[in-house]
Amino acid sequence: MMNILLIKLGAMGDVLRTTPLLTAFKKKYPDSKICWLVHAPCRGVLEKNPLIDSLMDYSQESLHRLKTDRFDLSVNLDKEPEAIDAIMAVPSKNKMGFGRSPEGKLCALNALSDYAYRLGIDDDLKFRKNQKSYQEISFEQVGLEFNHEEYIFSVDPAGAVRAGNYLRSLGVNLDNKDRLVIGINTGSGGRFAGKRLPVSTTLELIEKFSTRMKALIFILGGQDEVERNRAISRGSKYPVVNTGSHPIHDFAAIVRECDLVISGDTTAMHIAIGMKVPVVAHFASTCASEIELYGRGVKVVSGISCAPCYKKVCPIDEQCMSDMSAEEIFLASKSLLESALKC
């Protein structure tokens, strides 16, 4: 029996895009038992995952429990202090990923993690030279080859029922959809600037999809986008479905009803990838090369000279997003939909 500990605490999208590793681990170690340590707010995308034998929320109590276990392999893919503390404290025959040096500094625990470590300290490597996706990088860290293993995430049936009932309450006919459904995610999270389109660009997109494709528009977002999405709904000259804010499984069920999703580099984008919905992903502050779309998406990348930057606060008022063309995004979406319909 191979006991494996996987530490990926957050954020939710990053947790979700780490799930392909589970397939590879189970293939290499068929008799393995996998324990995943995660921050409680992110556990929703891992619950009921058939390849996870034990799911633990990060806490001092869980760390104490882990110290009493013995693992054959422990892998930490986070650079946050809590994750570093966890892997350094856990008894394990072999440790991979990120840890702490004898001098107390962040380091690569194994030679295969050196590239991932350098991405965090070398902007030229990360911003301009790297062409590896996150999956390729994380698989490389543990000595495995990425063969386009998919995200592992299934919508909870109860969440699907709640989402369906909610959409029907808004007048959406799920039993006989007679037109394309385009989901436009307006959120960006709070970690980095330069991830969300201006309201004016979103309204342009609504007009283009409504008039040129006769599509039904779902406005997607979370709790942080409630007021923004209300403003978009009020400002639109064309009908939209403001889908509101929901728990992650309900949200995923709503995304699954879309024929295409437009999103920045956010949880919504990863949910769409997990639901195998075609995605048009727009990038400015973060690196497009690290995102794996599995042949079901198109990337629209800002050409501004300062991107990517990974800045939390933009000194030029997110010019990268203001410059992004609604027409370019629309044409990319149209082309992707046409390709999907041919398959």
Side-chain angles (χ1 to χ4, degrees):
M1 179 70 70
M2 181 80 168
N3 289 321
I4 300 173
L5 172 65
L6 181 56
I7 302 171
K8 185 64 181 178
L9 302 180
M12 191 174 289
D14 287 340
V15 169
L16 185 53
R17 68 173 174 170
T18 303
T19 57
L21 265 178
L22 297 170
T23 302
F25 275 140
K26 288 294 187 179
K27 182 178 180 180
K28 185 172 182 178
Y29 309 110
D31 63 342
S32 63
K33 292 186 67 176
I34 298 177
C35 174
W36 192 314
L37 184 66
V38 67
H39 276 317
C42 299
R43 71 172 288 137
V45 294
L46 299 177
E47 289 175 335
K48 299 184 180 180
N49 188 308
L51 300 188
I52 297 175
D53 299 283
S54 175
L55 181 60
M56 298 181 67
D57 293 349
Y58 177 88
S59 66
Q60 290 305 309
E61 180 182 353
S62 62
L63 287 183
H64 179 74
R65 286 175 54 194
L66 288 172
K67 289 178 184 179
T68 65
D69 293 330
R70 292 201 65 84
F71 293 94
D72 299 290
L73 172 62
S74 296
V75 177
N76 171 40
L77 299 176
D78 274 339
K79 297 176 182 177
E80 283 70 20
E82 302 97 322
I84 302 299
D85 289 343
I87 195 165
M88 299 309 294
V90 170
S92 183
K93 293 180 182 178
N94 193 14
K95 295 183 180 183
M96 295 180 172
F98 304 116
R100 187 178 292 114
S101 70
E103 296 75 29
K105 297 181 179 180
L106 174 71
C107 70
L109 290 174
N110 59 319
L112 292 173
S113 291
D114 182 63
Y115 185 82
Y117 170 76
R118 287 192 290 119
L119 283 173
I121 59 174
D122 186 338
D123 286 353
D124 187 51
L125 177 63
K126 184 174 181 67
F127 295 171
R128 286 169 281 278
K129 293 180 180 178
N130 176 60
Q131 295 302 312
K132 297 179 183 180
S133 69
Y134 170 85
Q135 285 83 355
E136 289 176 289
I137 296 165
S138 58
F139 272 60
E140 182 180 278
Q141 287 185 259
V142 297
L144 298 173
E145 182 179 352
F146 177 57
N147 292 307
H148 292 87
E149 287 85 354
E150 295 272 0
Y151 292 18
I152 304 174
F153 179 61
S154 298
V155 174
D156 177 72
V161 170
R162 287 192 300 269
N165 289 339
Y166 179 80
L167 289 174
R168 290 185 181 92
S169 74
L170 298 179
V172 179
N173 185 351
L174 298 176
D175 303 315
N176 184 28
K177 290 194 295 183
D178 57 355
R179 51 180 170 162
L180 290 171
V181 175
I182 306 297
I184 302 179
N185 179 61
T186 68
S188 62
R191 190 173 182 185
F192 302 116
K195 281 191 173 186
R196 68 182 183 183
L197 296 170
V199 169
S200 59
T201 306
T202 302
L203 292 172
E204 281 187 64
L205 283 170
I206 292 170
E207 179 180 7
K208 291 178 187 297
F209 282 109
S210 298
T211 59
R212 292 159 66 174
M213 298 188 74
K214 308 302 180 185
L216 176 63
I217 310 300
F218 280 10
I219 301 298
L220 306 171
Q223 189 59 43
D224 291 341
E225 288 73 52
V226 169
E227 289 304 319
R228 184 182 186 85
N229 288 354
R230 284 175 182 163
I232 290 170
S233 299
R234 290 194 299 266
S236 175
K237 298 177 182 178
Y238 303 89
V240 298
V241 177
N242 183 354
T243 61
S245 176
H246 302 275
I248 195 63
H249 281 265
D250 304 41
F251 178 74
I254 291 171
V255 168
R256 192 171 57 182
E257 295 295 333
C258 298
D259 294 291
L260 179 139
V261 166
I262 297 167
S263 177
D265 180 5
T266 66
T267 296
M269 178 194 72
H270 290 292
I271 290 294
I273 294 169
M275 294 293 96
K276 299 183 179 180
V277 174
V279 178
V280 173
H282 49 81
F283 296 88
S285 64
T286 59
C287 294
S289 59
E290 294 186 13
I291 300 301
E292 173 60 61
L293 295 178
Y294 294 92
R296 298 188 295 270
V298 173
K299 299 174 184 179
V300 177
V301 183
S302 171
I304 198 168
S305 61
C306 54
C309 65
Y310 285 87
K311 290 184 177 180
K312 184 177 178 66
V313 178
C314 176
I316 57 172
D317 198 26
E318 300 191 27
Q319 188 66 40
C320 53
M321 303 309 296
S322 298
D323 290 347
M324 198 163 284
S325 163
E327 181 69 7
E328 181 181 8
I329 294 173
F330 173 78
L331 291 177
S333 303
K334 183 174 181 291
S335 177
L336 182 58
L337 284 166
E338 289 171 350
S339 297
L341 289 173
K342 291 177 183 177
C343 295

